[in-house]
Amino acid sequence: MSARVILGVVLAGVLAAGEASAQGAPTAPQGRGAGAGGQGAGAAGRGRGTAAAPPVRRMPDGKPDLSGFYDSVHRGANYGIEEHAGSTLTPPGQGIVVDPPDGKLPLQEWAKEELKSRQTPARGYDDPTAHCIMAAGVPRGFYVPSPFFIMQTPTHIVVLFERMAWRHIPLDPKRKHLPDSIRLWQGDSVGHWEGDTLVVNSQNFNGKPWLNEVGEITSHALTVVERFTPVNANTIMYRATLTDPIVYTRPFTIEVQFNRDPNGEMLEVACHEDNQDLQHMKDVKDAGTGLEKK
Amino acid sequence: MTVNSQIPTPRFQTARRCTIGAAALAVLCLAAAPVLAHHSFAAEFDENKPIKLSGKVVEMRWSNPHAWIYLDVNNNGKTERWAFETGAANGLFRRGWRKEDLPAGTVLVIQGWQARNGTNTANAGSITFPDGRRLFAGSSNPNAERDK
Amino acid sequence: MTKRVGTVALVLAAAVWLGAPGLTGGAAAQTAGAKQIPRMPDGRPNLQGIWQVRNRAAYNLEDHHARYRMPATLSVVDGGKIPYQEWALKKRDENFANRYKDDPFGKCYMPGVPRIMYIDFPFQVVQSSTHVAMTFEWTNVHRLIYTNGSKPVQGIEFWMGDSRGRWEGDTLVVEVTNHNDKTWFDMSGNFHSNGLKVTERYSLMDADTIRYEATMEDPKVFTRPWKISMPIYRVKDMDRILEYQCVAESEEADGTFHREPRTWYPR
C-alpha cells in the first residue's frame, strides 16, 4: 500500500472527527479493525469487526436487530467516491467503489464533461446541500460525515439522519412503489430480508441531489439496491448498487462500514437556519470569472 | 496584531509537502482542526489566497455543519471584522467543548484561506493561541467535568 | 359449595380478563370502560401510523377573525388567551404586525415543538419500547422521543428541542427541553424564550384519534404555565408520507436554484 494512501487513511479518520462523534483514526483498511465510532473515553461496546465483538443482535422474530446510533467509516467519499488524493481544500479519499473492480465510476462521456464542470468553483453553488437542502438522497446520507439513527420494528425501518432528513423503509412484500410521476429527494424505498441481509429497493428519485460535494452525478433514472449486512452487534457492512442509464454505462456498487455507538445520541444539524456560505458561493457564481478547475 | 500573509501548512496535500512514512511524520502533516462542511471548500475559498491573522474573538457561532469564529483584527490601525469557518459544533460538543470555552476577547491566531468573493471571510486551517497551543485541540476536552 | 366455587371462578376469570395484555401488535387489550385501542407487544398504546391535525392552530393558537391569507381561528388555548407578561404581549403584537417578514417558518426554518405537530402536513410515527420516532412530511424533519429513561442532553439548544418520554398509564408524557428562542408557536407571532419547557401528553381516544395536549412553561415570557389541546386524526388515504422540501421549493420558485435539464425529472 502506497504511503500516500496510508496518510490518506489517517487523514480521513482525523477529518471525520470534525463533525461525527470522535473517531480514532483507522490504522488499517476499512473492514479490518477500523475503529471508528464511540464518544470520548470508554471503548465499551465499540465494534471493531473482530471476533471479540458480541454477536449480531436479534429481534424477537429472529431477524437481525439493526437499530441504534451509527457513524459510517466514509473514507472521504463525500469528497470523491473513487480513490483520490487530497488538495489544499479537498480531503483525500480511499475509494468506496467495489464494482467495477478498478474502483472507477463508469461515466458516460457527457457525464465526464459535466463532472469537470461541476468541479469549477462557480458551480459549487449548484450543490443542493450548499443550499442546506439536507435531504441528501440515496446513498449520500450514509457517507456524509454525520451520524444517523436506525429504528426497527417488525414492519418498518426508519433512518433518522443527524443532518436533518429521514428515510422510511417499510418491510412489506406487498408494498408497491409510488407512481412514476411522484419524484422525491429521498426516493421511495421498500425493504425485505434475505437471510440476515436487509435488501432495500429504491426508486422515484427526482434527480436533484448530488452524490457528494465534488458533484458526482445521478439523475431521475436512478434506482438503488442497498444491502445492510450486520457483522456483529456493533457493525453493519453496507453496499449500494446504483443503476442510472442516463449517467453511467453500467451499474456500480459502493461499500461502507457502519459502526454503532451504544452510548451515542443524536444532536441536531440546523443548516439552513444559519447558512453563511451560500452568499459567498453565489458571489462566485455571479462573478462568472474564468475560474480554472481546481 | 497585524494582518500577515504566509503560506499556511497544507492540510491535505500529500506527496510534496509532507514526507510520508512513519505515522509520526504523518501527524506532523496535519496542521489543523478539520473543517467538514456541506459544500465544496474549493468553490467558496481560494487555496491561492492564504491568510494569517490574529485578533480578539468577538463571538463564536456554534452552528452545523460548521461553526464560525468572528475576530476583530487590527489592520494598520483600523479594526476589521473577520469571519472564519471552522469545524462542526456537534463535533466539538461531543469532544466536551462548550460555548463558554471560547470567551469574547480571547486572542487567537488563525491561518487559513480567504473566500473567493473577496470579503473578510476565510476557511480556518489552523487556530492557535498566541503561545502556539491549538484551540479545541485533542480528541476531548481535558477540562470538561460535564457528562457527555 | 358449588356457589362459592362459582364465585371464585368468576372472580378469577375477571382478574384474568382485566389483566391480560395484548399479545400482538394489532390486538386490543380490554380494560373495563375503555374504547378499543391498538396496542404494542409491550402492552403500551400503539401510536404508529400517519397522522395530521384538522384545525387552524398553525395560523393562530388564539381566537382571531380572518386576515389576509389567514382563515379565522378558534382558540386551542385553555382559557382562551396566552398569559403573556406585559412586555411580551407588546412583542407578540409586533411579531404579528411583521409576520410576513419575520415568521421563521416562512423562511423555511424548523418550526420547533409544539408547532411541528399542528402544521398542515402529515407525519408518521414508528414506535419501539425504547423510542418513538416522528417523521414529518415538511422538509424531512424528525423528532426522536426517548422512552428509555434517559435524561436530556445538557448545555446545547435545538430548534426541535430534546424529547424524553415516559408512559403514565396509557398516556405518553413527553418533556421537551433545550429549545432555542428562535421559533414561534404559530404564524401570528406567538413566541417564547430559550427557557421554554413543553410537556406533551398523547392519549389514544380511539384507534384513529390522538388527544394531544401541550403545556408551556416559560417564566421569562408568561405569567403562568398554559396549555393547548387538540385532536390529531389518523390519515387513512395515504400509506406513506411524501416530501415538502421548503428550501428547494422556495428557491426553485424564485429562480435561485436552477434546473439541471439532463438530470432533473421533467416537470
Side-chain angles (χ1 to χ4, degrees):
Chain A
M1 166 161 320
S2 77
R4 182 167 66 178
V5 173
I6 291 173
L7 176 63
V9 168
V10 172
L11 282 170
V14 174
L15 291 171
E19 183 165 344
S21 53
Q23 299 185 4
T27 53
Q30 174 184 337
R32 282 186 266 137
Q39 301 179 18
R46 191 178 307 178
R48 291 183 177 272
T50 66
V56 172
R57 297 165 295 139
R58 302 261 160 206
M59 300 286 278
D61 64 7
K63 298 284 190 289
D65 180 2
L66 303 181
S67 63
F69 174 83
Y70 291 87
D71 283 306
S72 74
V73 182
H74 53 73
R75 295 162 65 89
N78 199 37
Y79 319 103
I81 284 175
E82 300 172 354
E83 181 180 348
H84 63 275
S87 62
T88 311
L89 286 164
T90 303
Q94 295 76 56
I96 59 170
V97 179
V98 296
D99 182 64
D102 67 358
K104 301 267 181 254
L105 293 173
L107 287 159
Q108 296 180 18
E109 285 309 310
W110 80 266
K112 290 181 188 169
E113 294 309 308
E114 168 65 7
L115 183 57
K116 287 199 194 110
S117 166
R118 288 186 180 189
Q119 290 169 355
T120 58
R123 293 215 51 201
Y125 180 82
D126 297 336
D127 179 358
T129 69
H131 295 248
C132 289
I133 296 165
M134 298 318 296
V138 179
R140 184 174 182 181
F142 284 132
Y143 50 75
V144 292
S146 200
F148 52 91
F149 183 82
I150 297 179
M151 228 176 112
Q152 180 175 344
T153 71
T155 55
H156 235 92
I157 299 245
V158 178
V159 185
L160 306 181
F161 297 95
E162 188 163 290
R163 283 196 181 176
M164 190 55 100
W166 50 259
R167 288 179 61 198
H168 268 285
I169 303 169
L171 304 171
D172 176 1
K174 294 196 294 300
R175 174 91 150 193
K176 298 210 178 351
H177 281 293
L178 288 168
D180 189 59
S181 53
I182 298 186
R183 297 303 180 116
L184 304 175
W185 287 80
Q186 301 287 71
D188 180 66
S189 299
V190 182
H192 66 275
W193 291 98
E194 288 178 9
D196 274 359
T197 293
L198 173 69
V199 180
V200 180
N201 285 276
S202 303
Q203 58 175 66
N204 295 84
F205 292 102
N206 62 18
K208 298 180 187 179
W210 281 14
L211 276 178
N212 52 27
E213 290 182 7
V214 299
E216 287 175 325
I217 307 174
T218 60
S219 80
H220 61 84
L222 175 70
T223 57
V224 187
V225 181
E226 296 163 291
R227 308 181 96 85
F228 299 73
T229 305
V231 172
N232 57 47
N234 298 323
T235 312
I236 294 175
M237 288 310 295
Y238 168 86
R239 283 193 169 199
T241 299
L242 285 74
T243 304
D244 190 332
I246 288 181
V247 182
Y248 298 97
T249 57
R250 48 156 280 180
F252 65 92
T253 299
I254 60 165
E255 181 181 86
V256 182
Q257 177 174 315
F258 302 155
N259 289 341
R260 186 172 78 104
D261 176 0
N263 299 315
E265 283 189 351
M266 300 263 279
L267 299 173
E268 180 183 87
V269 172
C271 180
H272 169 64
E273 288 74 8
D274 193 13
N275 187 359
Q276 319 259 354
D277 304 282
L278 192 63
Q279 186 60 49
H280 306 149
M281 286 191 281
K282 184 164 194 302
D283 292 342
V284 173
K285 187 178 187 74
D286 291 345
T289 55
L291 297 160
E292 309 266 49
K293 172 182 177 306
K294 64 174 160 58
Chain B
M1 296 165 243
T2 56
V3 176
N4 181 9
S5 280
Q6 269 185 21
I7 306 292
T9 313
R11 276 186 295 165
F12 303 127
Q13 279 178 330
T14 56
R16 274 181 299 124
R17 290 191 182 267
C18 297
T19 54
I20 317 300
L25 284 176
V27 166
L28 286 176
C29 295
L30 305 175
V35 183
L36 298 174
H38 55 110
H39 59 79
S40 162
F41 298 119
E44 188 177 356
F45 303 101
D46 191 341
E47 64 182 348
N48 298 313
K49 287 161 74 173
I51 197 150
K52 181 179 179 184
L53 299 178
S54 97
K56 284 192 175 159
V57 172
V58 178
E59 87 171 291
M60 180 169 177
R61 295 253 276 260
W62 284 68
S63 314
N64 297 286
H66 42 68
W68 289 86
I69 297 178
Y70 296 87
L71 284 197
D72 272 344
V73 173
N74 183 338
N75 186 6
N76 295 325
K78 230 175 30 136
T79 300
E80 287 181 350
R81 176 71 50 89
W82 276 79
F84 291 93
E85 180 177 275
T86 181
N90 286 352
L92 296 173
F93 185 85
R94 287 190 164 106
R95 281 151 47 206
W97 300 99
R98 298 291 183 270
K99 283 187 207 246
E100 50 268 25
D101 294 327
L102 186 59
T106 306
V107 175
L108 292 177
V109 179
I110 304 188
Q111 293 185 118
W113 295 269
Q114 197 169 352
R116 290 184 183 273
N117 72 350
T119 57
N120 289 356
T121 310
N123 182 302
S126 130
I127 311 175
T128 61
F129 298 101
D131 64 11
R133 283 175 302 127
R134 279 177 45 204
L135 181 68
F136 300 143
S139 61
S140 66
N141 179 358
N143 301 318
E145 290 158 11
R146 316 165 255 261
D147 294 332
K148 274 221 210 167
Chain C
M1 177 74 164
T2 329
K3 188 174 169 190
R4 187 156 164 253
V5 166
T7 310
V8 169
L10 211 69
V11 169
L12 283 173
V16 169
W17 179 77
L18 286 168
L23 292 172
T24 66
Q30 319 241 344
T31 49
K35 283 200 166 80
Q36 283 207 4
I37 59 171
R39 290 198 180 262
M40 302 292 290
D42 64 8
R44 303 294 187 195
N46 182 345
L47 297 173
Q48 297 185 109
I50 299 176
W51 303 91
Q52 189 171 345
V53 296
R54 285 183 207 152
N55 61 30
R56 296 151 168 198
Y59 295 98
N60 198 331
L61 293 183
E62 296 181 331
D63 291 325
H64 215 285
H65 46 265
R67 301 293 288 260
Y68 179 53
R69 289 202 220 140
M70 291 174 65
T73 53
L74 290 173
S75 180
V76 294
V77 179
D78 249 27
K81 291 221 166 299
I82 298 170
Y84 282 106
Q85 297 174 16
E86 204 177 309
W87 73 269
L89 186 61
K90 293 199 178 71
K91 174 73 182 154
R92 191 282 305 272
D93 291 345
E94 198 181 291
N95 288 348
F96 181 83
N98 294 318
R99 62 195 181 281
Y100 290 120
K101 156 171 88 67
D102 289 345
D103 181 8
F105 186 63
K107 301 183 211 179
C108 297
Y109 294 170
M110 289 188 271
V113 176
R115 190 174 183 181
I116 189 68
M117 306 307 295
Y118 45 81
I119 58 169
D120 197 23
F121 290 89
F123 63 94
Q124 186 158 5
V125 175
V126 175
Q127 181 178 346
S128 72
S129 57
T130 53
H131 298 83
V132 176
M134 296 184 174
T135 54
F136 298 88
E137 189 172 278
W138 189 85
T139 310
N140 247 244
V141 306
H142 53 72
R143 292 180 62 189
L144 184 59
I145 300 170
Y146 297 82
T147 53
N148 59 359
S150 57
K151 300 259 180 295
V153 63
Q154 298 294 317
I156 192 167
E157 290 177 356
F158 300 134
W159 286 74
M160 299 301 292
D162 177 297
S163 298
R164 309 280 162 165
R166 64 183 186 276
W167 289 94
E168 290 181 357
D170 279 349
T171 297
L172 177 65
V173 180
V174 183
E175 293 189 5
V176 190
T177 56
N178 299 64
H179 304 263
N180 64 27
D181 63 355
K182 301 188 166 76
T183 63
W184 284 4
F185 288 115
D186 57 25
M187 216 181 277
S188 295
N190 288 304
F191 74 102
H192 58 85
S193 79
N194 66 352
L196 175 70
K197 179 177 150 190
V198 180
T199 305
E200 299 173 301
R201 303 177 84 85
Y202 297 81
S203 320
L204 275 172
M205 303 281 70
D206 55 48
D208 296 334
T209 316
I210 290 174
R211 177 176 172 80
Y212 175 75
E213 296 176 3
T215 301
M216 270 49 85
E217 294 170 71
D218 191 352
K220 290 196 235 177
V221 178
F222 310 112
T223 57
R224 56 168 175 80
W226 53 281
K227 188 173 94 168
I228 60 173
S229 56
M230 61 187 74
I232 308 184
Y233 297 100
R234 188 181 294 280
V235 176
K236 294 193 171 179
D237 58 0
M238 292 169 77
D239 68 353
R240 70 201 81 183
I241 60 175
L242 303 174
E243 288 175 357
Y244 182 77
Q245 290 291 344
C246 191
V247 173
E249 296 309 326
S250 306
E251 292 195 347
E252 287 177 39
D254 71 16
T256 53
F257 190 48
H258 308 290
R259 161 166 288 278
E260 159 49 66
R262 286 167 300 187
T263 54
W264 286 27
Y265 185 70
R267 267 181 259 269

